[in-house]
Amino acid sequence: MQQLTWKVGGAQGEGIDSTGEILGAVLNRMGYHTFAYRHFMSLIKGGHTNYKIRISTQPVHYHGDLTDILIAFDQRTIDENKAELHQNSIVIYDSAFEPQGLESIPCCGIPMRETAAKLGNPIIKNMVAIGVTAAALNLDPAPFLQTVASRFASKGEKIVAINKNAIQQGYDHYREKEKQRFKLPDQTAQEPLMLISGNEAAGFGALAGGCRFLAAYPITPATEIMYWLVNHLPDYGGKVVQVEDEIGACLMAIGANYAGARAMTSTSGPGFSLMQEAIGLAGMAEIPLVIVDVQRGGPATGLPTRTEQSDLNEILYGSHGEIPRIVITPATITDCFFRMIDAFNLAEHYQCVVIVATDLFLGMSKQSIAGLDYDAVKVKRSGLIGDESLADLEPGAFKRYAVTESGISPRSIPGQANGMYVALSNEHDEQAREEMEDRHNRVTQMEKRFRKLSSFQPDQWGAKYYGPDQPDLLLIGCGSTYAQLSEARQALEKAGKKVAHLHLHILAPLPATSVGFAVEQAQKCLIVDNNFTGQLKGLLQREIGLHQKFILHNRYDGMPLTVGEIIARANEVLQ
Amino acid sequence: MQQLTWKVGGAQGEGIDSTGEILGAVLNRMGYHTFAYRHFMSLIKGGHTNYKIRISTQPVHYHGDLTDILIAFDQRTIDENKAELHQNSIVIYDSAFEPQGLESIPCCGIPMRETAAKLGNPIIKNMVAIGVTAAALNLDPAPFLQTVASRFASKGEKIVAINKNAIQQGYDHYREKEKQRFKLPDQTAQEPLMLISGNEAAGFGALAGGCRFLAAYPITPATEIMYWLVNHLPDYGGKVVQVEDEIGACLMAIGANYAGARAMTSTSGPGFSLMQEAIGLAGMAEIPLVIVDVQRGGPATGLPTRTEQSDLNEILYGSHGEIPRIVITPATITDCFFRMIDAFNLAEHYQCVVIVATDLFLGMSKQSIAGLDYDAVKVKRSGLIGDESLADLEPGAFKRYAVTESGISPRSIPGQANGMYVALSNEHDEQAREEMEDRHNRVTQMEKRFRKLSSFQPDQWGAKYYGPDQPDLLLIGCGSTYAQLSEARQALEKAGKKVAHLHLHILAPLPATSVGFAVEQAQKCLIVDNNFTGQLKGLLQREIGLHQKFILHNRYDGMPLTVGEIIARANEVLQ
Amino acid sequence: MNVRLTDYRGARPTWCPGCGHFAVLGCLQQATYQLGLPPELVVVVAGIGCSGKIVQYYGGYGVHSLHGRTIPVATGIQIANPGLTVIAAGGDGDGYGIGLNHWVQAMRRNVDITYLVMDNHIYSLTTGQYSPTSRKGFVSKTTPKGSAEMHLRPLEIALTARASFVAQGFSGDVKQLTKIIKAAIEHKGFSHVNIFSPCVTFNRLNTYEWFKERIISLDAQDYSPDDRLQALAKVMEADGVLTGIIFQEERPLFHNELPGVQDQPLTKSPLELARDQFQQLAAEFLS
Amino acid sequence: MNVRLTDYRGARPTWCPGCGHFAVLGCLQQATYQLGLPPELVVVVAGIGCSGKIVQYYGGYGVHSLHGRTIPVATGIQIANPGLTVIAAGGDGDGYGIGLNHWVQAMRRNVDITYLVMDNHIYSLTTGQYSPTSRKGFVSKTTPKGSAEMHLRPLEIALTARASFVAQGFSGDVKQLTKIIKAAIEHKGFSHVNIFSPCVTFNRLNTYEWFKERIISLDAQDYSPDDRLQALAKVMEADGVLTGIIFQEERPLFHNELPGVQDQPLTKSPLELARDQFQQLAAEFLS
Ligand SMILES: Cc1ncc(C[n+]2csc(CCOP(=O)(O)OP(=O)(O)O)c2C)c(N)n1
Ligand SMILES: Cc1ncc(C[n+]2csc(CCOP(=O)(O)OP(=O)(O)O)c2C)c(N)n1
Ligand code: SF4
Ligand code: SF4
Ligand SMILES: [Mg+2]
Ligand SMILES: [Mg+2]
């Protein structure tokens, strides 16, 4: 695998994102595998933002620890990103400022702002940066010019011309000034690659999984799911409502599910906290419900533009009282797509709440992925009673919450004759007409609800094991840490270490057989949590035991984990 | 200890509660120790309700498994309570109906409704029942007559006379018809006993602990805390607001705390779920906050009139992101009083959220308790910076979130010159003026917030151990199960079993040293949970390990645990 | 279709004898019966309170939602299947206290549901605390010295929040109430119906008599409910204690205004994407 | 007391150049300065949004609360210490979307706070979704085909919810806005101030020009803000786009109406019970 990392940084409002997006788009079209991470702040203009792309000949799920090429529009970009630079990096800075503190790191000043200003619009210094990038990567500027031409086509020829000009001048400037060029290997992917973010994949997965209704409230970093769905659901018979708050959003999704639609809500931590009571309703009334929590830095408003896996506790244990629930943690962007389909099938089958927990890193990052396989998409209907079966029953004999062996009861949909029932938030009996405080009934219904998931086999795909048996060290993570953990494991393996990696795609019900077996086998386990208190570690301690084997490695500064820190920690533990 | 249990049952709206309350009041005044439990339904009239009193010469914290005297206004009372009867019980029923299914249990019909009707008001059949009770207990009717006279004084002489008449006639009826009388031993308590519920004790404790503001929303079974405080806080400089919802209630309490008052909110499960986001704000902005969650049957609206310890998970792990928190589980009604004082002191000292978790059983039951000790009440102020210290600082130099070794930072109160700061829900730095996404600052502040509790020593009073060292079986419970567990342990001890009891008064931070030591020592541990999933057991597994020692005994039908079931289960496990 | 009035019966009510909520249940049953709506096409979404139990006693489909959360659930159902008649029902605490925000937003959206608020000026199921519609000074368990707040005016809020149908009924006048509920259900758009529904157990102030003495019925007046400002004036003049249809207008319906197909309910749209649809969507991600 | 205007400065604003919120900050600083309120006696409670950042840029005490939760926090502070000047401030999404219920209830209570809503008809901090005050048809990231909802009329809601002071200002007229904010702070009771505060980055429709072309100023008119119904008529007539003080009345204050001592703030009441007080309370439980 050959690879290179590139980053552009500056103030918010300087077009940093579009610089990265154009480069990503061109590279992706050329058949390179890319992974792009956006670093931004909770303000609209100013501050510091950067866009990083890892370019590779193989699929990559992470943007990489280091930066080979850093394009800096300001000193702050250098300050904030210096730690990622190495001796073979190059810093290409806007010669409008004099870079400080680069010591021996090679650098090269290009008059980016000046060039743009001369072209009549200083804001297009980002286009100059694209030209510079093309030159630095030793790429033909043509595809960049084309991309920009088609992107700005609607804005008129003059705009297109200026932007193209800016790219060309950036290209020329760099070639004149600087020899050091990174050569990307030739690359043509087998099939055209999709450039897609985790949030887009989740939206697309929801649609493919039969979701036809989204009720949500805007919140970083989840809103892109809503954007994707509002632009697509209506074409497939669906609707999207922006609700007044997350309480209403969750309940609207519950209403639509009750009415027979596959419906969901998407949010992040603060919104998820507001949904706690509603989650209990879905659990009690056995109404299917899919919630996506794109986690961000907490607590409270916290770090809205940073990543964290710190809602796990609330996802697993939130809402008063007790309900069965399924918690899925997609590990990659492709996984975001497929796990959403699973989520809808499972919610319908088990008539329960399914929470899909991603995070800012997974949700907002964009990756080149090989085409999603249509044949792997399976919408499975279940649990719905037919009109004929209802017609066969005595009037009023239908038991919505029938106590069955499986714990799953037949479900009718409003409009079906003879299927009337009340979905109650109070305890109720099989008949589902009125609340019921009787203690024997309570026990029966409680057990029925919790029995439902006994047929669910989380071990089937909820835990994946990579590497040797009986390892000296087992790395354990869930969700978005997959990429860094698997790269770390491979590196450790290469270094001759006997290290395995267990990755959790389902946290509840926990794939306890697989986890228990893997933990038993391993000498030690390094649990990698992207939060402060070690929430995944806590879960495993609770469910698996063997505390003495567990060591925590965690990160809580709002950044995704790095491969390097995991390797370093693993080596430390292995000593 | 000599004791007797009495219960009266009928439909809601038949004055069942006042029957029990009058009996309780008279017995308490006579120096008997009583413990009264109200069983009721989520409707206003009809259904089944009962009121049970255990009468003892020693303090009792539980109403007992069995019923010696059952006064039944209807057949349903017999059906629902038959399981508590034994061969020496007596059922005194209203001869308006013919009791079914009593088999060999002694019973006696008294024309209660008829007597009341003849007196002009069938509703006062409950007064007849009081007279019957006096006779059955071989008590002088005089104190009952007096109590009723003073209770109804405001309603006029005629009403008083009718009620007294009803009591007298009930008394006479029973003495005529029935020989079997239970003789209570003579009793005079050392000092007058207070008859107080857990909710009242919590309200009184709050006031004594310096609470001067309550913001709450009505909810069963927590509203009595509000009632007590609305009737008393105003006399001591305080105020009570009934807010539009629990979100607002929690935030109003946060506002008042920020402004320097000791303020709280009280609620039950559904309301607690709604407070999750606000809890994060208090945690992040380090604003002291006391929340009482009087738990009831969940999930969702659940079983609003039944008891359960099923919010523990949400109490421990709710709210997105991560905040330090203290969770206190009072074990007795007296404990409700004192732990509220602790809660306010701790919230102020650690500038954090303190959740006091009681439940319907503890909150709504009434007990005779020996006077609360004024000298044991200590309001401890801490963490507040003085005006002089602020005046000594450069303008703007005050650091509200100063990174200190203890993790506790000095706190100013609006109005203090030179102490201005913003309490932010976003991550922030020491200066506390604006949000801050810087990752190093994030790490520092996160660690600071979590360091705060390192000086808290939950082992001091958070776990109490009763019984022999190195027991064959260790019973473990938290909160309101204390009474049944301690009675069970004593019975098992009497039966020659080597059984100990560890009771948790604090769940977070867990008194891990005491618990770990006790668990280590024990052969096996029977964890008693008043919920379905074994939430206390889960906590101990997570924090302590040694899963193989843990056995769960749980109850989830909405009823408090019985002593008998614990003994039976313990014996089973001991085999 | 051969529906009988008894088909609209659910469980046996447990309300206190004399409770105003009986009339609301009866009138709703009558209204849907008279409109010939088969019970399986009616969904009642109720809140928590004595009032909310109406869903258990009515014979159709229903959701006994959370306290204050009737409107969003009803909205979700209505958008998913506009072929259903969706009735939200709850108390004054439920709707004007904890649930007020959902209500206000649904009115301006003009969600096509009927909302029956059983307004007894008190929290009853929790055994008697003042509610948003309790008058200032109202003595209750949480306001032993009288409430400190001016009461909320639901009709005025409904009018300014742009409800397209605003009416008020009284449990003491079932004829009028049935008529109002029928009109509300027939109205296309958000129909807000406030109903004075006395609590005979906990509210000793706002009794049937109290209302009877004060209520002004618009039915007896020459009043045409087509001018919002005039309706506001009327309501203010009567201090909110009037009955009848106060305002009605035709306005586009939320579910029709939302982008998406209109010719069939959401619940009937196919769940699977065809291969070409799928590939077309995937192709949007090719850069 | 010797306050300077600069004493009301907090952190350096990060709003986009030209953002309407600058004017609101400036006018608030001016108003409190002109009123001679020392910054340590001013508490700003802000919501989440670009607007909410005002608390970081103003120099007093403050709480940067949660999204939509300014009012309850402000209420708690105000009741705890009525000696403080409490300002709630936030955006249209914050106040009229997620936080609407708290606002409506606070108005009828007449909590003695000033509420500044920086209304740019859009959710800005989340980079551009329509808000409750966006006009129907408004195109935004979540409404690519135009919003399906009629907008909320904050002034009308404020009037019918019985705010005792209702005004509207415009970031394009700082003289008037300063005057309004001063009057709002001076008013005893709930002062609702809606401020058209254009978002120059995400709202291309409701620009300074858009407002300027439409705004009718009451200052130029012979208008007396003492009749609620007339105020409603005026607001409806102007389709909500008017500025000035629209309504004002004197009404008892919530914190005074609540039972309890009035002569000193809660925060000053002694926390310890004296022995006799304690014993008296305990004695109530003796049966
Ligand atoms: C979140 C939440 N808070 C509080 C409650 C308790 N509660 C149940 S019903 C009710 C008030 C009911 O009053 P109202 O809506 O007026 O109905 P009514 O009983 O008067 O018909 C309350 C506060 C609850 N169920 N859920
Ligand atoms: C519970 C919750 N939901 C969503 C968000 C995300 N959020 C932050 S600001 C905002 C909207 C801000 O709009 P507005 O109040 O109009 O303020 P503006 O930015 O326009 O000034 C939203 C939805 C949040 N912080 N918390
Ligand atoms: S308590 Fe009041 S509202 Fe509830 S059922 Fe009885 S009369 Fe009706
Ligand atoms: S995005 Fe809009 S509201 Fe936010 S700071 Fe910029 S101009 Fe102001
Ligand atoms: Mg009510
Ligand atoms: Mg806005």
Side-chain angles (χ1 to χ4, degrees), chain D residues 8 27-37 42 58 87 185:
Chain D
Y8 299 89
C27 294
L28 176 62
Q29 289 169 324
Q30 267 295 344
T32 45
Y33 170 64
Q34 290 179 16
L35 291 169
L37 296 167
V42 181
Y58 183 87
I87 316 278
I185 293 175

Side-chain angles (χ1 to χ4, degrees), chain B residues 128-262:
Chain B
V128 181
I130 288 174
V132 167
T133 298
L137 294 175
N138 207 14
L139 294 172
D140 182 356
F144 293 93
L145 297 171
Q146 277 159 29
T147 299
V148 162
S150 68
R151 283 213 174 198
F152 293 120
S154 65
K155 302 206 170 164
E157 270 177 45
K158 223 183 112 194
I159 302 274
V160 169
I162 295 181
N163 279 284
K164 285 171 78 169
N165 219 329
I167 293 180
Q168 189 62 51
Q169 293 196 20
Y171 186 82
D172 297 341
H173 270 302
Y174 186 85
R175 288 183 74 93
E176 264 162 45
K177 259 205 102 167
E178 182 63 29
K179 287 270 103 73
Q180 184 184 1
R181 263 159 237 151
F182 298 84
K183 170 110 184 63
L184 289 173
D186 289 342
Q187 171 78 359
T188 15
Q190 304 295 93
E191 49 174 322
L193 297 174
M194 290 165 63
L195 194 58
I196 186 169
S197 72
N199 281 336
E200 290 166 336
F204 187 9
L207 175 58
C211 174
R212 292 297 175 269
F213 185 73
L214 169 78
Y217 188 76
I219 189 163
T220 305
T223 324
E224 287 85 11
I225 297 179
M226 198 176 172
Y227 296 158
W228 196 89
L229 285 170
V230 82
N231 281 304
H232 293 93
L233 266 193
D235 296 338
Y236 296 88
K239 298 212 159 143
V240 172
V241 181
Q242 176 178 314
V243 189
E244 57 276 5
D245 63 12
E246 290 90 345
I247 298 177
C250 190
L251 286 152
M252 223 178 257
I254 289 173
N257 271 306
Y258 170 79
R262 286 193 167 189

Side-chain angles (χ1 to χ4, degrees), chain A residues 39-42 80 247 269-270 273-274 276-277 280-281 284 297-306 308 310-311 313-314 317-323 425-427 435-437 439 442-443 446-447 449-450 531-535 538-539 541-545 547 555-559, chain B residues 39-42 80 247 269-270 273-274 276-277 280-281 284 297-306 308 310-311 313-314 317-323 425-427 435-437 439 442-443 446-447 449-450 531-535 538-539 541-545 547 555-559:
Chain A
H39 176 93
F40 62 109
M41 288 176 75
S42 187
E80 298 228 2
I247 298 177
S273 279
L274 288 171
Q276 292 309 306
E277 195 198 11
L281 167 62
M284 182 58 137
T301 311
L303 286 173
T305 63
R306 299 300 151 85
E308 211 170 61
S310 62
D311 298 351
N313 275 345
E314 187 169 54
Y317 304 114
S319 202
H320 64 283
E322 298 165 299
I323 55 162
S425 70
N426 284 75
E427 190 56 273
E435 61 198 84
M436 187 68 66
E437 288 160 302
R439 58 181 103 155
R442 161 66 168 188
V443 168
M446 199 76 185
E447 290 175 353
R449 282 191 295 271
F450 274 90
N531 55 53
F532 182 83
T533 56
Q535 301 187 18
L539 171 67
Q541 289 185 179
R542 183 178 185 127
E543 302 294 329
I544 304 296
H547 297 35
R555 182 167 190 139
Y556 44 92
D557 64 353
M559 305 299 293
Chain B
H39 176 93
F40 62 108
M41 289 176 72
S42 188
E80 298 228 3
I247 298 177
S273 279
L274 287 171
Q276 293 309 306
E277 194 198 11
L281 167 62
M284 183 58 137
T301 311
L303 286 173
T305 64
R306 298 300 150 87
E308 212 169 60
S310 61
D311 298 350
N313 275 345
E314 187 170 53
Y317 305 114
S319 202
H320 64 283
E322 298 165 301
I323 54 162
S425 70
N426 285 73
E427 190 57 273
E435 61 198 85
M436 187 70 66
E437 289 161 301
R439 60 181 100 155
R442 161 66 168 187
V443 168
M446 198 76 185
E447 290 175 353
R449 282 191 295 272
F450 274 90
N531 56 53
F532 182 82
T533 55
Q535 301 187 17
L539 170 67
Q541 289 185 177
R542 183 178 186 127
E543 302 293 327
I544 305 296
H547 296 35
R555 181 165 192 140
Y556 44 92
D557 64 352
M559 306 298 293

